[in-house]
Amino acid sequence: MARTKEFDPDAALQSALELFWRRGYEATSMADLVAHLGIARASLYATFGSKRELYLKALQRYGEQHGPPLVEELSQPGPVLPAVRGLIRRFAEEAACDELRRGCFVTNTAVELGAHDPETTRRVEESWHSLETALTSALMRARAQGELPAERDPVALARMLLVLMQGLRVVGKAGSAPARLRDAADQALTLLD
């Protein structure tokens, strides 16, 4: 007779995500996961596979939790540029006030694993492409509504903002002075005027 799981896989995945987000992939061992999740190693392997498979599932979960709200925020009807400015300022503020210095799980993955793990690179690129597409669409609407000058290139602006947002996360993770992050965001936003 098959035994039933003595833990909630969904809660365990969320807990693993939090641990990976805080410590990174390399600094998190299977022993750390077993201790943190309170799950036997065999059960962890049977449910999630290897540490890498668990990490990829955690990365997917993070994207499901954080990606759609950003896209929705940029897709609201009405004036567009206030939403774009608010998003950039929020990224700067979150980076400036991140006491745990967790940063963004996707950005952390790019920095830690991007150079040598094609699968994580692909997933990071998918996440960034989704955000870039949402920014591009928002900026195209802003230009069509007369909020953005006609000569501004929404694609190039979206790419610049994406790179800025990821840079804010990296610089904030290092504990940089909050004024540096806020000033960078404010200067970048002058390109939307």
Side-chain angles (χ1 to χ4, degrees):
M1 185 160 116
R3 293 182 51 177
T4 59
K5 290 199 186 309
E6 297 175 8
F7 66 94
D8 178 356
D10 191 61
L13 177 58
Q14 186 63 38
S15 189
L17 185 161
E18 295 294 329
L19 185 62
F20 281 131
W21 190 3
R22 189 172 63 246
R23 298 187 65 191
Y25 178 77
E26 295 296 337
T28 304
S29 67
M30 278 305 280
D32 294 331
L33 287 161
V34 166
H36 183 75
L37 302 177
I39 299 169
R41 184 181 296 258
S43 294
L44 198 58
Y45 281 118
T47 303
F48 298 110
S50 67
K51 176 181 132 177
R52 182 172 183 278
E53 289 172 299
L54 178 55
Y55 186 86
L56 291 173
K57 288 174 183 161
L59 185 60
Q60 179 178 341
R61 165 70 61 90
Y62 180 88
E64 291 166 355
Q65 292 174 341
H66 294 268
L70 295 177
V71 171
E72 184 179 324
E73 186 176 338
L74 294 170
S75 302
Q76 296 298 311
V80 177
L81 290 186
V84 173
R85 286 185 179 99
L87 179 65
I88 300 304
R89 287 192 176 109
R90 191 174 79 242
F91 262 65
E93 200 57 37
E94 288 174 1
C97 298
D98 185 0
E99 292 179 13
L100 298 176
R101 295 189 182 161
R102 289 188 313 175
C104 166
F105 191 41
V106 173
T107 305
N108 296 350
T109 298
V111 171
E112 182 180 12
L113 301 173
H116 56 83
D117 186 328
E119 179 60 22
T120 58
T121 300
R122 185 186 67 74
R123 290 179 185 217
V124 165
E125 184 55 40
E126 284 176 0
S127 175
W128 287 349
H129 179 74
S130 176
L131 181 54
E132 181 182 316
T133 300
L135 284 164
T136 299
S137 295
L139 293 169
M140 290 175 117
R141 279 191 358 263
R143 190 170 68 177
Q145 294 173 184
E147 296 176 74
L148 191 64
E151 69 273 4
R152 297 290 165 81
D153 179 356
V155 174
L157 281 172
R159 288 176 175 164
M160 185 276 303
L161 292 173
L162 172 70
V163 171
L164 170 76
M165 293 162 75
Q166 302 315 307
L168 290 170
R169 299 291 185 159
V170 171
V171 172
K173 192 168 170 69
S176 188
R180 176 179 288 147
L181 300 166
R182 292 179 186 118
D183 288 348
D186 288 343
Q187 286 302 305
L189 291 176
T190 64
L191 294 173
L192 300 179
D193 296 333

